[in-house]
Amino acid sequence: MNISTDKWDEPYVNITICGIGRVGLDALDRVAAMFNKGVQFVGIDSDKVSLVRSSATTQVCIGNAAKTDPIRAAAATFAQRNIIYETFNRADFVFILADLGSAVGCGSAPVMAEFARKRDIITMAFVVIPSAAEGYCGMEQHHMALDAIAGHADSYVVISEDQLQEYHRGISSHTKELYMTDSFMVHGVEVYLAALWRWQMINTTVSDISDAIRSGGRAHIGLGYANGEGAAREAAHQAVDCPLLGHEWLGQASRCISHICGGDDLKLCDVMAVLKVIQ
């Protein structure tokens, strides 16, 4: 359990965040805007301009040939293994952010997960599966890439755009839809970084987070926001009813991380209201 305010401690673990492809780089940039200490940002893409414009401190360009071919993307990423291994040298945790609708994501994300596993680094992946109407890669390639990631990463979250259609209702543009989809990756990573670094009313240790991620398999995420009277309960209901989570997954979960974030007026009764909804 992590109950936190906006006070931050100095980082005492080393974290590497890998943004792969356009969607992954966008999410990486948003995480970098929130966390600028103790995190190494690795960007991988076929477009050098996108990498230069990103917040990635280590930029790995795998060439235009990888843009439409997952096999070439995987080979080009493997060819850069020395640079990537160097960024993993001191990492305690690796988070991978990728869109499996792109050839770069399908090819590079499994390779990055494999590299991290070979270094025995606790690894969690957040991957976007696009709707059936878009994406360079077909469903078979999505599943192959996802199976490979599942075989290497300790835990992984699948963010399906088809499942998020209800979430996207009322959003005025596709750009805003993409931003909302990215938010699940961004806030998913934020939960873990905040649990490690943010000042907490209830303490969470590195061991707690390690145990939650290691060998966890497929993970699910739900987000909720609310203000005013009854906000805690309302936000909890939103999170539990999120299309990516749902009550059926909660019943099968073997472990759960609840991240409750609020201002100085956050009360213990609010926390108990959230836990009651989850239980």
Side-chain angles (χ1 to χ4, degrees), residues 186-221:
V186 173
H187 293 303
V189 173
E190 181 188 9
V191 166
Y192 293 98
L193 298 191
L196 293 168
W197 292 345
R198 184 174 280 170
W199 181 87
Q200 301 162 33
M201 293 165 58
I202 297 179
N203 188 45
T204 305
T205 67
V206 174
S207 179
D208 292 331
I209 302 304
S210 300
D211 291 343
I213 298 176
R214 191 177 289 281
S215 302
R218 182 165 179 175
H220 300 270
I221 184 173

Side-chain angles (χ1 to χ4, degrees), residues 32-255:
M34 295 186 290
F35 303 91
N36 55 15
K37 293 182 180 180
V39 180
Q40 186 160 19
F41 296 99
V42 179
I44 299 176
D45 200 7
S46 59
D47 182 8
K48 189 172 183 178
V49 175
S50 295
L51 287 168
V52 171
R53 290 176 176 173
S54 76
S55 301
T57 50
T58 299
Q59 300 170 358
V60 180
C61 184
I62 56 177
N64 288 330
K67 187 174 183 178
T68 57
D69 188 341
I71 295 176
R72 290 186 176 182
T77 304
F78 184 80
Q80 301 281 356
R81 60 190 177 279
N82 290 337
I83 295 174
I84 296 167
Y85 277 141
E86 186 175 345
T87 67
F88 285 175
N89 272 344
R90 295 195 303 158
D92 300 302
F93 296 86
V94 168
F95 293 93
I96 296 171
L97 314 176
D99 174 16
L100 298 189
S102 70
V104 173
C106 276
S108 297
V111 175
M112 294 298 287
E114 182 180 6
F115 285 165
R117 172 53 65 91
K118 286 182 177 179
R119 291 296 175 100
D120 197 29
I121 302 169
I122 299 171
T123 306
M124 186 161 194
F126 293 82
V127 297
V128 176
I129 299 292
S131 66
E134 60 180 323
Y136 287 113
C137 299
M139 291 301 295
E140 182 178 352
Q141 290 172 312
H142 293 166
H143 291 306
M144 289 176 60
L146 188 58
D147 287 345
I149 290 169
H152 297 301
D154 286 286
S155 296
Y156 63 98
V157 173
V158 176
I159 302 166
S160 168
E161 290 192 351
D162 284 332
Q163 287 181 286
L164 289 178
Q165 289 305 307
E166 182 179 344
Y167 232 74
H168 289 160
R169 288 179 184 175
I171 296 178
S172 59
S173 70
H174 183 56
T175 300
K176 292 181 178 179
E177 287 181 345
L178 293 175
Y179 185 87
M180 179 63 72
T181 301
D182 291 350
S183 293
F184 282 90
M185 286 197 286
V186 173
H187 293 303
V189 173
E190 181 188 9
V191 166
Y192 293 98
L193 298 191
L196 293 168
W197 292 345
R198 184 174 280 170
W199 181 87
Q200 301 162 33
M201 293 165 58
I202 297 179
N203 188 45
T204 305
T205 67
V206 174
S207 179
D208 292 331
I209 302 304
S210 300
D211 291 343
I213 298 176
R214 191 177 289 281
S215 302
R218 182 165 179 175
H220 300 270
I221 184 173
L223 302 177
Y225 308 89
N227 294 300
E229 186 176 354
R233 186 182 299 274
E234 171 60 24
H237 278 294
Q238 288 181 23
V240 170
D241 294 334
C242 176
L244 293 181
L245 185 58
H247 297 281
E248 68 276 11
W249 293 114
L250 282 175
Q252 299 175 26
S254 60
R255 62 199 78 171

Side-chain angles (χ1 to χ4, degrees), residues 15-36:
I15 294 172
T16 297
I17 296 178
C18 305
I20 301 173
R22 180 182 59 82
V23 172
L25 289 175
D26 287 346
L28 180 149
D29 287 342
R30 291 175 62 184
V31 175
M34 295 186 290
F35 303 91
N36 55 15

Side-chain angles (χ1 to χ4, degrees), residues 251-271:
Q252 299 175 26
S254 60
R255 62 199 78 171
C256 176
I257 294 179
S258 301
H259 175 58
I260 306 168
C261 185
D264 292 336
D265 59 346
L266 181 67
K267 300 176 182 178
L268 184 59
C269 63
D270 296 326
V271 174

